[in-house]
Amino acid sequence: MGGLTGDPAFAATTFVVIDFEATTPTGYPAQPIEVAALALRYESGAWTTSGRPFSSLIRPPAFAPVTPAVTAQTGLTAEQVNRAPHPAEVLSALDRRFAAGKQYLLVAQHAATEANLIHHQREHCPALARVDLLDTIPLARYLYPGLPNYRLDTLLTHYSIKHPANRHRAYADVEVTAEVFIRLVHAADENAGFSDLAALVKIAGRTAKCNMPAQGELFGPTPVGQRGHSEPI
């Protein structure tokens, strides 16, 4: 492979692919109803998973019920999520997966959505909320400027990745986003513009809101890697 995956900083980073499903109540921020995460490492020329995948339904607050539109998209019903754990329980459990002294980047398709959901839940997941992000959309746009759009379904078709039957469920979307990310890294590795992790971050990096100055915008170029605490992912 090329310079990107040969960069020690790239090898030292755990890439955590993350996806939320959410309900969007009028007058309130989006509220998570499901989350999934899958940690990847690039070691000895191959991708491996790091730790166990994480997936859980999340009970939304009363002001953010699951609507028929959400059920039509995700298949999740109000009865299912109303039996789920509260956000504090789920997100604190995910937060404990981020170990002190390790370098992480979150990976998401349209990372603004995940970044905002995490930021609004930051009291439950302070370590997660300080991990910066990579967005697959600007990376794909840079590498494949001729595609009609950069939606996940379009990228799956471009790479001939099978669309999952339960598309728009968090873990199914995490699995296929991880496949897309691996393909994008392979393409970037063959592109002279991606000499190291810093170059990847320059194109696709997004700064977690908790890492920005108080008056900063939500997104900007991200520094490489952030640290968390407790059990490793």
Side-chain angles (χ1 to χ4, degrees):
M1 298 289 274
L4 174 59
T5 55
D7 178 20
F10 189 93
T13 300
T14 299
F15 298 92
V16 182
V17 186
I18 191 166
D19 182 75
F20 285 90
E21 301 303 327
T23 183
T24 53
T26 302
Y28 294 92
Q31 300 294 313
I33 57 173
E34 188 176 33
V35 62
L38 176 66
L40 303 173
R41 295 288 301 270
Y42 189 81
E43 299 174 336
S44 302
W47 287 97
T48 62
T49 57
S50 178
R52 301 184 311 278
F54 184 95
S55 181
S56 179
L57 295 177
I58 302 173
R59 186 185 307 183
F63 64 77
V66 170
T67 64
V70 171
T71 299
Q73 182 177 35
T74 66
L76 292 171
T77 66
E79 290 75 18
Q80 285 176 291
V81 299
N82 288 341
R83 297 193 298 268
H86 290 286
E89 181 180 346
V90 175
L91 294 174
S92 62
L94 177 57
D95 201 61
R96 290 192 294 271
R97 297 286 193 97
F98 291 82
K102 292 183 67 175
Q103 181 168 288
Y104 297 97
L105 284 171
L106 300 180
V107 176
Q109 171 79 8
H110 193 248
T113 299
E114 273 60 42
N116 279 317
L117 281 160
I118 292 167
H119 185 69
H120 287 301
Q121 299 290 333
R122 62 192 180 278
E123 65 178 306
H124 307 313
C125 52
L128 174 62
R130 289 196 173 278
V131 180
D132 292 321
L133 304 98
L134 292 175
D135 192 332
T136 53
I137 291 178
L139 181 56
R141 184 179 290 119
Y142 182 93
L143 291 166
Y144 303 105
L147 295 184
N149 60 64
Y150 296 90
R151 299 186 184 100
L152 182 56
D153 288 329
T154 301
L155 296 177
L156 294 180
T157 298
H158 174 76
Y159 281 125
S160 300
I161 297 170
K162 185 178 179 181
H163 293 230
N166 52 349
R167 175 81 170 86
H168 296 296
R169 289 295 303 273
Y171 191 68
D173 284 1
V174 156
E175 285 191 307
V176 292
T177 299
E179 290 190 54
V180 167
F181 176 65
I182 289 170
R183 305 285 186 91
L184 288 170
V185 167
H186 180 80
D189 219 21
E190 298 179 339
N191 187 303
F194 292 89
S195 57
D196 54 20
L197 180 61
L200 179 66
V201 168
K202 184 177 181 180
I203 297 298
R206 299 292 181 261
T207 304
K209 192 172 182 181
C210 285
N211 295 332
M212 299 189 72
Q215 300 303 314
E217 297 178 358
L218 179 58
F219 292 118
T222 180
V224 176
Q226 298 298 325
R227 297 181 176 182
H229 60 80
S230 201
E231 298 174 9
I233 232 171

